[in-house]
Amino acid sequence: MNYQETVNWMFSQLPVYQLQGATAYKKDLTNALLLADYLGNPEKALRCIHIAGTNGKGSTSHLLAAVLQEAGYKVGLYTSPHLKDFRERIKINGIEISEDYICDFISKHQGFFEKNDLSFFEMTVGLAFEYFKKEEVDIAIIEVGLGGRLDATNIIRPLISVITNIGIDHTQFLGNTLRSIATEKAGIIKTNIPVVVGEYTPETKPVFLAKATENKAPIYFASETINDTYPSALKGDYQTQNKKTVVQTIQLLKKLYNFDISEDQIKKGFLNVISSTGLYGRWQQLKENPKVICDTAHNKHGLEIVLHQLKNEKFDTLHIVLGLVNDKDLDEILPLFPKKAKYYFCKPNISRGLETTILLEKATEYGLMGQVYNSTSEAYEKALASAAKTDFIYIGGSTFVVAEIL
């Protein structure tokens, strides 16, 4: 199979959470451990940082990778989901894994995947670990896919565990309270391994403290310990906490593991994060006059911050291109959006995309007025055609909506 055929097989033959939802979620680590053993346990050869959280995992992972790259380290970066191309998930120093490597990996192990009914995510994690070992990275930044305790990445023993924050999301898998979700995320805390917590609430802090105590893991709350941070190419207001989390993690790498990282390299890493790691879709400006911003925030916790930042923008008319996936609580999300805006409702081009008729009906209940379009691109084109130079266009609601625009 060529690259496109290989990727098509991966997405069509194997359950993948981003497309199918609940059917792709595995209840234990049996398959992840089975695959790791089959591959010769490449994860045991890696020095890793493990990053979990409801929001901010991607930004934190990329900021951390950018700083380490500036310091001269060879950095593996594993994140999900991708925006345009599967290869975005696995990078070394900002360069995506090659098409040939993916094709060879799948071709070589396809029989094992099929025989053991491995999920898309389990297979992809194995690919990343093997690739990073083969390329002898100095350190690998590993982002959790979903949750933490039962995530396929949770077979590693990292140098540092990081939990960015806790919000209500993926309740069908992780529970519907902050405490239950925090318990799942805290599952990445390992014995004697330091853990950095970016943000906490009165409900989640005791969960983190209890798990850290149980595992004799030193715990650091970045929001309490880090006061100053640095300017960054990532302009979203929510990046303030992510940057504090990264600074705390860098301090621990220097203190506990003798990483050589200067303050100037931290500054450069923050400023160069987009160009050096290829991170997109975080309060990303696409045009000026009218100003167009896209953002991948897709749950209550993330959208609250993004929409608050939106209120501080200056414009005549606000245009919002909005699409969601069908597992979101509309009664929780839609009230966050401003009524004084013109809406362009669309459906992300995936099986989990929420039908526009449902979105329109529910949005109307909350006073969000607009029209339905056949595609994300059509909705965006109509918004551009309708907007004056002094207007503002926001594109969001789903990672997949942003991906289609980019």
Side-chain angles (χ1 to χ4, degrees), residues 289-330:
N289 303 320
K291 188 173 183 178
V292 179
I293 294 288
C294 66
D295 194 279
T296 56
H298 57 273
N299 52 43
K300 183 180 180 183
H301 182 271
L303 286 167
E304 281 178 332
I305 302 172
V306 169
L307 294 174
H308 181 267
Q309 183 168 356
L310 189 57
K311 290 180 182 177
N312 297 325
E313 293 285 338
K314 293 195 170 23
F315 48 78
D316 288 337
T317 301
L318 175 61
H319 305 257
I320 296 182
V321 177
L322 182 64
L324 302 168
V325 292
N326 59 22
D327 60 357
K328 298 302 176 186
D329 184 345
L330 300 183

Side-chain angles (χ1 to χ4, degrees), residues 66-114:
V67 171
L68 288 162
Q69 286 172 216
E70 289 290 343
Y73 293 97
K74 187 174 184 179
V75 184
L77 180 60
Y78 175 77
T79 59
S80 61
H82 61 271
L83 287 177
K84 301 296 289 182
D85 185 349
F86 172 81
R87 296 186 303 133
E88 297 167 30
R89 295 171 180 249
I90 303 171
K91 301 176 183 175
I92 296 177
N93 283 7
I95 300 173
E96 297 171 356
I97 187 172
S98 72
E99 294 182 356
D100 286 345
Y101 195 100
I102 295 170
C103 291
D104 290 345
F105 180 84
I106 296 299
S107 175
K108 182 178 179 181
H109 305 300
Q110 187 172 356
F112 181 85
F113 299 149
E114 292 177 328

Side-chain angles (χ1 to χ4, degrees), residues 244-348:
K244 288 184 178 182
T245 303
V246 171
V247 171
Q248 177 66 84
T249 305
I250 291 294
Q251 288 183 0
L252 291 176
L253 284 174
K254 294 171 65 176
K255 178 182 177 181
L256 301 177
Y257 302 105
N258 297 316
F259 275 68
D260 186 9
I261 305 167
S262 70
E263 186 166 328
D264 186 57
Q265 288 163 343
I266 299 174
K267 291 178 179 177
K268 287 182 178 178
F270 279 22
L271 289 173
N272 297 333
V273 59
I274 294 175
S275 59
S276 65
T277 69
L279 177 65
Y280 298 101
R282 274 67 171 181
W283 197 261
Q284 182 178 345
Q285 184 167 342
L286 303 181
K287 285 180 67 70
E288 187 71 65
N289 303 320
K291 188 173 183 178
V292 179
I293 294 288
C294 66
D295 194 279
T296 56
H298 57 273
N299 52 43
K300 183 180 180 183
H301 182 271
L303 286 167
E304 281 178 332
I305 302 172
V306 169
L307 294 174
H308 181 267
Q309 183 168 356
L310 189 57
K311 290 180 182 177
N312 297 325
E313 293 285 338
K314 293 195 170 23
F315 48 78
D316 288 337
T317 301
L318 175 61
H319 305 257
I320 296 182
V321 177
L322 182 64
L324 302 168
V325 292
N326 59 22
D327 60 357
K328 298 302 176 186
D329 184 345
L330 300 183
D331 293 313
E332 181 179 68
I333 287 177
L334 292 177
L336 302 175
F337 284 87
K339 293 182 175 64
K340 195 175 180 182
K342 185 176 180 181
Y343 285 84
Y344 304 76
F345 300 113
C346 55
K347 175 188 174 183

